[in-house]
Amino acid sequence: MIRDITIGQYYPADSAVHKLDPRVKLFATLIYIIALFVFRGIAGFAVITAALAAAVHISKVPLSYMVKGLKAIVILLFITGIFNLLFTPGDVVYWSMGPFKLTDTGIQNAVLMVVRLIYLILGTSLMTLTTTPNQLTDGLEKALGPLNRIHVPVHVIAMMMSIALRFIPILIEETDKIMKAQMARGADFESGNLLQKAKNMIPLLIPLFVSAFRRADDLAMAMEARCYTGGAGRTKMKPLRYNRRDAVTYLCILVFLALVVVCRVFLP
Amino acid sequence: MSIILDKVNFSYSEGTAYHIQALKDVSLEIPDGQFIGVIGHTGSGKSTLTQLMNGLLRATSGSIYVDGEDIYDRDYNMKELRHRVGLVFQYPDHQLFETTNFEDVCFGPKNQGLDRKEVELRAYEALRSVGFPEELYFQPPFDLSGGQKRRVAIAGVLAMKPKVLILDEPTAGLDPAGRDEILGLVSKMHRELGITIILVSHSMEDVARYVERLIVMNRGSVMFDGTPKEVFPHYKELEEVGLAAPQVTYLMHELRRFGLNVDTGATTVKEAAADILRALQNEGQRK
Amino acid sequence: MGIIKASKLVHEFIRRDEEGNVESITTALDQVDLDVKEGQFIAILGHNGSGKSTLAKHINALLAPTEGSLWVDGMDVQKEENVIPVRKTAGMVFQNPDNQIIASVVEEDVGFGPENIGVPTDEIWQRVEKSLAAVGMTKYRNHSPNKLSGGQKQRVAIAGVMAMEPKCIVFDEPTAMLDPNGRREVIRAAHELNREKGVTIILITHYMEEVVDAVYIYVMEKGKIIMDGTPRQIFARVEELKAHRLDVPQATLVADELRRAGLDIPAGILTRRELVEAILSVRESRRG
């Protein structure tokens, strides 16, 4: 069911990862993504795996819960795997038929890409699982603060993101309900070709949009009623302040980056 | 058309932290033509129950028989089942999407594969059955009042000519006038169309007046099943699970405690008033 | 002058077509007079479309009157510079619990209002603490609002308003989307705020049984106030209430039936207990 999607949803727990400054986590995620795309060899892979495993362990988010989040991208993984498997030229060809080839490089690439994607999702979802949307947007707002000077409305963007994240689960649940309401009237969301499928989505999308707009209206009014007037003059309930834990984590991130680079440069 | 549930279990998100056992060993028989109220508070499993009956959800274990046929048989036609067991969801906004009310009601019969003429005929019939004002037939559904939207939503399912009509909290968000209108309408539909009606609600007071059978759900199990007169005497147990019997039930029980010989089974205002008068009269005569 | 005073308040919704010509005018409020004293618990009853929500939005300066005037704590809501002070004075709890919670964690949502009005960080925490305790939601402070029941969500919304320390809170149909348990929770919370913190409460609802404990009731229909008085005065007018298709409590209805059958039952019975006592005293007098 749609409501099983866990990507982006906060998982409450009392862990060191949860308590980190969101800016640290943003930075860590960035470094992690870079590492994923530059690493080479078994050693590099081992470093990344160890780092990810350690982070997951410390975060107290059950691995099974995170793996469930992968369900949503199974198709993507599958397509990526198949494409890499069948379309990569290589030295040793095990099997071929027309344009399709199964080569040693292809197998290697397919495995690499699928693992990369899985690691990418696991790593980034770890950030959203341990950081409340508000902290995340606070972190972004603060990290991107300098952009304010060139008239980028950083606060507005951050607020929009935070609200979007808050409403994603609500809209997902709503989609589920609308789908059922239309299925009860014989609507069919599965069969037919692409065009038909798109057309079949109309009974789903229109009620969803109508409801989203109404929610937006209500929310705007509720925010106004609570004296929201934009970023100016606001104080923070949870202002971002670095402490020792954050400093140590920055250090760990740098060590991690160094290790990955070392593995790439010096090991086969 | 009869529906039989045999030891039905249902759980959401099995095997995760959010695992919820929504229904536990529910066995029920819904014979043809009854007007049934299903009562329970949020999370009691009442909505799950209704979605099982028309195949939108699949039981984790147990069997459901509709007209003697097991709906989990591999060659059972689920789509056909949804036509026969109509389900109207809580919020009409979740189903209205067409440019006009009339067209929206056509959606169900169209999906049944009927020809245009039959589709329109059914839409007219359904809109008339729910007392929807004719001048609004070809207006967009989005500007309607809550009560009128609800009518269009009910018509949208009625147009599929179901044998069983399930209404999930059809009065949610309506004001008392709108609520009475919709409940009156549902009761009228039961009389005139002769179909089975299952009314899901969290308000005893609302449904007691209309239904002939009450199924009280609590924590995924059937707590009581009987006529309102049979169920309300358990008002203390009902209260414990956050459901209240109608005010008059309490009133009659309290009067009884003070020695006034009233009938504690009275469920409506009229019955209660008449019975209090009778009891007072009797006392007077005995003296 | 009371904390909220409306005099001949009119609000018209004007619908225009694409060229800007007036298509239709709906008078949502029609010459409404209102006077609420500080610390009172008052109720406004009416059907959907009776204008009661429009009135509520005026008290919070979310809508501006077309004609007439409205003062909140002595401030004229029409003056631009009063908008924010008025919103600080009169908070508002809306109908749909999902559409008024902004943050994804309960305590952060409660802190949202104080953040907006520039309360220093330390004080925000104190206010959040107090407000959550006042509605009994301290236990859930780190939860996601999505996992709470409707009644709990509304209590979070109430805490969010409380944290701004308003003198008055307008509840705009706070129970319309809740089940009986949730309804009880919310109404109880409103009464507690009134009793213990002295907050003026304006409860807008279409459920009559929620207003029996108010000190004064206004009944609205088609933008006008058609009845006003204490609950006892209002509930004594059963025929009128029925004619306006309001939801009279069953105890009041039974009392009315009995009175019309000739029993000596006083008008304006509000609760079951009052009715039992009245019936028993009729019985006593007959015996006597």
Side-chain angles (χ1 to χ4, degrees):
Chain A
M1 269 290 127
I2 276 182
R3 68 167 87 183
D4 288 336
I5 295 175
T6 51
I7 293 179
Q9 279 200 52
Y10 180 64
Y11 185 94
D14 185 28
S15 83
V17 180
H18 283 76
K19 286 189 193 123
L20 279 180
D21 189 292
R23 283 170 294 180
V24 180
K25 284 188 261 189
L26 279 168
F27 181 68
T29 310
L30 189 69
I31 295 297
Y32 174 79
I33 294 172
I34 294 172
L36 263 184
F37 284 90
V38 302
F39 85 88
R40 209 162 41 183
I42 295 294
F45 179 65
V47 169
I48 291 179
T49 308
L52 181 64
V56 171
H57 179 73
I58 300 170
S59 75
K60 293 186 185 165
V61 178
L63 188 65
S64 60
Y65 187 79
M66 295 183 68
V67 170
K68 239 186 64 192
L70 289 174
K71 268 195 207 158
I73 58 152
V74 163
I75 295 174
L76 185 69
L77 289 177
F78 190 70
I79 294 172
T80 315
I82 292 290
F83 265 72
N84 276 291
L85 213 52
L86 297 181
F87 293 107
T88 319
D91 302 331
V92 189
V93 178
Y94 298 111
W95 171 84
S96 80
M97 196 183 87
F100 307 120
K101 278 199 283 284
L102 194 63
T103 67
D104 55 344
T105 332
I107 294 172
Q108 216 176 0
N109 277 5
V111 172
L112 193 65
M113 278 315 284
V114 168
V115 168
R116 234 176 221 161
L117 269 177
I118 291 176
Y119 272 43
L120 184 68
I121 298 295
L122 287 181
T124 46
S125 68
L126 184 65
M127 179 181 68
T128 51
L129 283 165
T130 59
T131 318
T132 68
N134 271 27
Q135 285 172 346
L136 193 64
T137 45
D138 273 1
L140 272 177
E141 192 177 346
K142 195 96 178 218
L144 301 178
L147 291 180
N148 246 333
R149 258 176 257 145
I150 53 165
H151 299 292
V152 178
V154 177
H155 170 77
V156 175
I157 294 170
M159 183 54 86
M160 272 162 48
M161 278 184 51
S162 130
I163 289 172
L165 283 169
R166 147 105 178 97
F167 277 88
I168 283 170
I170 294 177
L171 289 178
I172 286 176
E173 200 163 306
E174 187 135 301
T175 310
D176 200 40
K177 283 185 190 155
I178 295 171
M179 225 163 170
K180 277 187 183 155
Q182 302 300 27
M183 274 161 76
R185 293 205 288 166
D188 187 349
F189 297 110
E190 273 120 41
S191 54
N193 58 31
L194 207 63
L195 192 72
Q196 255 166 338
K197 264 190 188 164
K199 227 181 113 194
N200 289 348
M201 284 295 158
I202 292 173
L204 177 65
L205 291 178
I206 290 180
L208 193 62
F209 278 133
V210 169
S211 142
F213 281 123
R214 185 171 26 240
R215 282 184 194 281
D217 245 10
D218 281 7
L219 191 71
M221 190 166 280
M223 287 171 75
E224 253 186 81
R226 280 159 81 184
C227 297
Y228 180 74
T229 50
R234 280 194 98 216
T235 44
K236 289 272 178 198
M237 180 180 179
K238 296 176 176 172
L240 296 178
R241 281 193 210 104
Y242 284 127
N243 58 26
R244 259 199 29 218
R245 184 188 293 120
D246 300 312
V248 172
T249 313
Y250 270 129
L251 204 66
C252 293
I253 298 167
L254 292 176
V255 171
F256 166 72
L257 185 63
L259 278 176
V260 173
V261 171
V262 165
C263 289
R264 185 184 163 99
V265 179
F266 295 106
L267 294 176
Chain B
M1 193 170 96
S2 72
I3 303 178
I4 293 171
L5 282 81
D6 186 29
K7 297 210 183 71
V8 169
N9 284 286
F10 184 84
S11 6
Y12 286 102
S13 321
E14 194 147 18
T16 70
Y18 294 115
H19 172 104
I20 301 162
Q21 171 115 32
L23 287 181
K24 269 179 261 169
D25 271 331
V26 171
S27 296
L28 279 174
E29 196 183 337
I30 315 280
D32 205 13
Q34 267 190 346
F35 190 176
I36 301 171
V38 176
I39 314 281
H41 57 76
T42 317
S44 61
K46 58 189 196 306
S47 289
T48 308
L49 184 69
T50 58
Q51 292 179 29
L52 283 169
M53 285 189 198
N54 80 344
L56 278 174
L57 292 177
R58 196 190 163 91
T60 327
S61 72
S63 320
I64 299 176
Y65 302 93
V66 174
D67 272 342
E69 285 179 88
D70 186 342
I71 67 165
Y72 297 139
D73 264 352
R74 195 174 311 161
D75 51 358
Y76 191 83
N77 189 343
M78 268 300 180
K79 221 172 160 182
E80 169 74 21
L81 174 68
R82 285 184 198 145
H83 301 158
R84 289 194 290 162
V85 181
L87 175 54
V88 185
F89 278 85
Q90 193 170 358
Y91 292 107
D93 296 296
H94 286 161
Q95 77 176 63
L96 303 180
F97 73 99
E98 279 286 7
T99 43
T100 70
N101 296 307
F102 184 79
E103 208 44 52
D104 205 275
V105 175
C106 289
F107 182 67
K110 230 163 41 189
N111 287 329
Q112 286 176 290
L114 301 169
D115 63 52
R116 185 70 203 170
K117 211 172 136 199
E118 175 69 14
V119 167
E120 289 188 0
L121 208 66
R122 289 222 185 161
Y124 272 116
E125 216 176 311
L127 280 166
R128 204 159 341 111
S129 298
V130 299
F132 190 72
E134 233 164 286
E135 63 273 20
L136 297 177
Y137 279 19
F138 298 98
Q139 297 292 315
F142 306 106
D143 297 339
L144 296 176
S145 72
Q148 297 295 22
K149 272 188 191 166
R150 202 79 44 153
R151 281 169 202 259
V152 178
I154 295 174
V157 172
L158 209 55
M160 297 167 66
K161 296 226 168 164
K163 294 277 184 301
V164 178
L165 183 65
I166 307 175
L167 300 128
D168 192 357
E169 305 205 13
T171 60
L174 293 183
D175 58 26
R179 181 199 61 204
D180 291 348
E181 273 174 31
I182 291 296
L183 290 176
L185 166 71
V186 171
S187 165
K188 190 185 119 218
M189 282 175 0
H190 175 246
R191 276 196 314 273
E192 289 176 3
L193 304 174
I195 54 178
T196 310
I197 291 193
I198 301 176
L199 189 63
V200 180
S201 172
H202 48 228
S203 169
M204 286 277 186
E205 219 154 288
D206 291 352
V207 300
R209 278 180 284 173
Y210 301 99
V211 300
E212 51 191 303
R213 174 178 170 195
L214 271 177
I215 297 172
V216 181
M217 298 291 298
N218 183 42
R219 292 168 176 228
S221 304
V222 175
M223 190 183 187
F224 297 111
D225 181 358
T227 62
K229 272 196 180 23
E230 286 162 4
V231 172
F232 291 144
H234 299 282
Y235 68 101
K236 281 198 180 121
E237 287 118 294
L238 291 172
E239 189 141 285
E240 273 162 29
V241 299
L243 293 168
Q247 287 280 321
V248 293
T249 306
Y250 293 91
L251 176 69
M252 299 309 253
H253 277 273
E254 270 167 47
L255 287 174
R256 187 88 186 221
R257 247 207 328 276
F258 285 105
L260 192 64
N261 190 20
V262 289
D263 171 16
T264 50
T267 52
T268 65
V269 168
K270 285 242 170 344
E271 277 173 29
D275 198 64
I276 292 169
L277 286 173
R278 183 196 52 77
L280 287 171
Q281 219 102 57
N282 280 355
E283 277 194 351
Q285 281 164 6
R286 243 183 292 139
K287 223 167 31 167
Chain C
M1 187 157 85
I3 185 160
I4 288 162
K5 175 140 177 75
S7 155
K8 298 204 165 39
L9 198 62
V10 175
H11 190 89
E12 287 170 345
F13 287 108
I14 300 170
R15 236 173 117 145
R16 291 173 195 277
D17 60 15
E18 280 122 45
E19 282 106 52
N21 301 316
V22 174
E23 223 173 34
S24 67
I25 298 178
T26 321
T27 309
L29 290 179
D30 193 359
Q31 307 282 334
V32 169
D33 292 319
L34 195 72
D35 193 356
V36 182
K37 304 264 178 309
E38 197 160 351
Q40 278 189 331
F41 190 117
I42 74 136
I44 300 175
L45 266 172
H47 286 309
N48 295 341
S50 63
K52 58 193 196 305
S53 284
T54 308
L55 178 60
K57 281 167 193 151
H58 278 79
I59 298 173
N60 197 266
L62 290 169
L63 286 175
T66 314
E67 274 171 47
S69 44
L70 174 68
W71 291 273
V72 173
D73 204 17
M75 294 177 281
D76 183 350
V77 295
Q78 308 232 48
K79 291 211 176 99
E80 192 62 38
E81 71 267 23
N82 282 345
V83 168
I84 294 296
V86 163
R87 286 184 190 156
K88 278 195 219 172
T89 310
M92 188 144 169
V93 176
F94 296 86
Q95 183 185 81
N96 189 329
D98 275 325
N99 299 355
Q100 56 184 318
I101 295 180
I102 289 109
S104 304
V105 176
V106 166
E107 64 177 14
E108 287 178 11
D109 188 73
V110 178
F112 177 77
E115 285 182 336
N116 290 335
I117 53 176
V119 176
T121 301
D122 292 341
E123 201 190 325
I124 295 181
W125 282 91
Q126 287 164 16
R127 287 190 182 197
V128 168
E129 205 82 36
K130 263 198 298 192
S131 313
L132 282 173
V135 296
M137 288 295 290
T138 310
K139 208 165 69 182
Y140 299 93
R141 60 184 309 161
N142 291 316
H143 283 233
S144 153
N146 293 328
K147 306 268 183 234
L148 301 178
S149 74
Q152 289 172 329
K153 281 184 212 166
Q154 281 303 52
R155 273 149 67 197
V156 171
I158 296 171
V161 173
M162 277 300 290
M164 300 178 71
E165 304 191 336
K167 288 185 179 171
C168 163
I169 301 181
V170 181
F171 286 81
D172 188 6
E173 296 192 43
T175 58
M177 301 183 77
L178 305 182
D179 68 4
N181 283 342
R183 278 167 57 183
R184 268 194 295 269
E185 273 172 49
V186 170
I187 298 299
R188 197 186 305 135
H191 277 288
E192 273 169 16
L193 294 184
N194 176 250
R195 219 172 26 240
E196 280 156 28
K197 317 267 172 197
V199 182
T200 310
I201 304 280
I202 297 174
L203 173 64
I204 293 172
T205 181
H206 46 230
Y207 296 113
M208 284 207 80
E209 73 265 20
E210 288 176 359
V211 306
V212 286
D213 296 321
V215 293
Y216 205 79
I217 298 175
Y218 294 89
V219 181
M220 289 191 70
E221 193 168 288
K222 294 190 180 129
K224 286 194 172 71
I225 289 181
I226 50 163
M227 292 163 92
D228 66 301
T230 62
R232 210 165 290 283
Q233 288 166 345
I234 298 284
F235 281 54
R237 295 152 77 175
V238 174
E239 280 312 304
E240 256 176 281
L241 292 172
K242 272 195 186 158
H244 292 297
R245 306 186 52 195
L246 285 159
D247 206 19
V248 188
Q250 286 193 331
T252 310
L253 289 175
V254 174
D256 189 58
E257 290 274 329
L258 294 176
R259 187 167 53 250
R260 272 190 292 156
L263 290 197
D264 181 25
I265 303 247
I269 291 275
L270 299 177
T271 63
R272 206 167 67 226
R273 186 177 305 158
E274 286 178 12
L275 178 57
V276 170
E277 275 163 19
I279 292 171
L280 292 177
S281 80
V282 166
R283 182 196 194 194
E284 279 310 305
S285 66
R286 285 196 179 180
R287 279 180 180 168

